[in-house]
Amino acid sequence: IEPIRADSISRLQSEAERIRALGVTVTTEVVVGWPEHQLPLQMPEDATLLVAGAQGHARGTHWLIGSVVERLARVTTVPLLVVRDGTLLKNWLSGARKLDVVAATDLSAISDFALRRIKFLEELGPCNLELLFVEYPPGEYARLGVTGPIVVHQPHPIVNDVLARELTRRIEGSMRSVTLNLEQWEDEPLVRAAEQVWAAEYRDGAT
């Protein structure tokens, strides 16, 4: 393993020198082990962002070996930025193009925290934010006290209006360019079966 480690150190130092030439302070360390195990242990306590490069998998192999960045996403306690195309990232940081950010959210404190952390991206370069909320009608009807039969494919105007206002309050002051997208929970066979159950419950007096 030592020849591999020595080669890794050499290549890492070469890349670090290239970045230092741009005026960035760089420290390096090479450790041996699984990235999802070692990186959380090696990160400084005050780390605020973890950046990882992503590569595609050959067809049919992804489910066998998984993805390093996917496993990192499950264990890291700081935001993870996955870079697939370095050229696009450079163009964004230079202001040549906007970064399109899609944030899937709910109404939890964890999502609010994620939205606050997203704001730092706009400090690095211009961004467009699309906030995506997938509505589960039975849950929202119950939460808001809306009565009547539940039809998944026809959004209830009261539910959508309340959700839009709640989500708008959550993104106020986040980014300058924000699009709010409310999507309905859809799984065709389950939706049809659920609609029949909800209709029967409503006929029997359930709300």
Side-chain angles (χ1 to χ4, degrees):
I1 197 172
E2 283 306 317
I4 298 176
R5 180 182 174 84
D7 179 65
S8 298
I9 292 175
S10 176
R11 289 187 290 115
L12 184 63
Q13 290 293 347
S14 176
E15 181 65 10
E17 290 301 326
R18 184 185 68 83
I19 298 175
R20 290 187 183 107
L22 301 175
V24 179
T25 300
V26 179
T27 58
T28 64
E29 184 173 359
V30 174
V31 296
V32 178
W34 294 101
E36 65 271 22
H37 295 159
Q38 293 298 328
L39 282 175
L41 296 175
Q42 302 299 327
M43 284 193 305
E45 293 184 357
D46 58 349
T48 57
L49 180 67
L50 176 60
V51 181
Q55 296 179 341
H57 290 282
R59 184 183 300 273
T61 63
H62 183 269
W63 71 275
L64 289 173
I65 62 176
S67 162
V68 171
V69 293
E70 288 175 359
R71 297 195 296 270
L72 279 174
R74 295 190 185 103
V75 299
T76 182
T77 57
V78 300
L80 172 64
L81 176 62
V82 181
V83 179
R84 294 187 180 276
D85 188 329
T87 300
L88 294 177
L89 187 64
K90 290 177 182 177
N91 289 339
W92 164 58
L93 292 172
S94 67
R97 67 182 300 272
K98 287 189 174 182
L99 181 70
D100 294 323
V101 181
V102 178
T105 186
D106 53 24
L107 302 177
S108 68
I110 293 177
S111 285
D112 290 344
F113 173 76
L115 290 175
R116 290 195 297 270
R117 296 305 297 265
I118 284 175
K119 182 174 173 57
F120 91 95
L121 293 173
E122 198 169 47
E123 299 173 2
L124 301 176
C127 299
N128 292 322
L129 171 63
E130 178 177 356
L131 188 63
L132 176 63
F133 180 89
V134 179
E135 175 192 342
Y136 179 61
E140 294 306 321
Y141 273 55
R143 183 176 71 89
L144 299 176
V146 177
T147 59
I150 300 172
V151 181
V152 173
H153 297 289
Q154 296 179 9
H156 196 292
I158 293 178
V159 173
N160 270 26
D161 179 65
V162 172
L163 283 174
R165 285 189 279 110
E166 288 178 331
L167 293 169
T168 298
R169 284 198 299 269
R170 281 172 158 76
I171 58 178
E172 285 178 347
S174 57
M175 289 187 175
R176 287 184 286 271
S177 177
V178 180
T179 300
L180 180 60
N181 185 8
L182 295 176
E183 294 287 344
Q184 294 229 265
W185 171 77
E186 292 188 10
D187 185 322
E188 195 66 29
L190 292 178
V191 164
R192 294 307 179 191
E195 283 182 341
Q196 293 175 4
V197 172
W198 299 330
E201 290 179 347
Y202 181 67
R203 287 195 303 269
D204 293 339
T207 57

